[in-house]
Amino acid sequence: MSKELIAYLKLFHGAYNTAVIMLFLYQGIIGMKIRKSDSKPFHLIKRHRKVGPVAALLGIAGFIAGATIVFLSEGHVFEHPPHFLTGLAIVALIVTTYIISGKIKGPEPYWRNRHFVIGLFIICLYFVQALLGLGILL
């Protein structure tokens, strides 16, 4: 693969994952509105449930794409260990949150609170990941 193509793929990877971060923030905002509402905002619940699996798949795809780009460029995925391990942690938390979301039933707070806390942690890790990624690109 040419160095020029790899450079463009890295930029695209960063832009793509920036959009994914924004989608996760959007999900978080919707989730917070649902949590703070006195009544059940069914339109927001429906949107949150509809966008969640899409955001999860897009997040996992971003990690796979990044690992693929590094592998094609360097021959292994551990060229940037903090970035790779943070991405792997994000993917693990996305999968965990997706599994937990299926266990949320009614107003019971047990799984709902875990979903909320892990979701916040995912968003925080995404910002750390973005800073690590900028360090690689710049």
Side-chain angles (χ1 to χ4, degrees), residues 1-13 65 68-70 72-73 137:
M1 276 223 155
S2 75
K3 295 266 187 203
E4 187 175 323
L5 179 58
I6 293 292
Y8 283 120
L9 288 174
K10 287 178 181 180
L11 288 173
F12 180 75
H13 171 70
T68 302
I69 292 166
V70 172
L72 292 173
S73 174
L137 283 176

Side-chain angles (χ1 to χ4, degrees), residues 88-103:
L88 190 60
I90 290 169
V91 167
L93 290 171
I94 288 171
V95 170
T96 302
T97 304
Y98 181 77
I99 291 168
I100 286 174
S101 70
K103 296 176 186 259

Side-chain angles (χ1 to χ4, degrees), residues 6-81:
I6 293 292
Y8 283 120
L9 288 174
K10 287 178 181 180
L11 288 173
F12 180 75
H13 171 70
Y16 172 87
N17 279 303
T18 299
V20 172
I21 291 169
M22 295 300 148
L23 185 58
F24 270 87
L25 281 173
Y26 174 72
Q27 271 297 88
I29 290 167
I30 292 174
M32 288 299 297
K33 286 181 180 180
I34 293 168
R35 283 180 75 86
K36 290 184 178 191
S37 178
D38 292 334
S39 63
K40 287 190 173 188
F42 290 110
H43 68 288
L44 290 178
I45 294 168
K46 184 177 178 180
R47 189 178 310 155
H48 192 71
R49 287 180 180 166
K50 192 175 191 179
V51 173
V54 174
L57 287 175
L58 292 174
I60 293 167
F63 171 77
I64 293 169
T68 302
I69 292 166
V70 172
F71 182 78
L72 292 173
S73 174
E74 307 298 330
H76 57 91
V77 294
F78 292 110
E79 182 67 20
H80 310 286

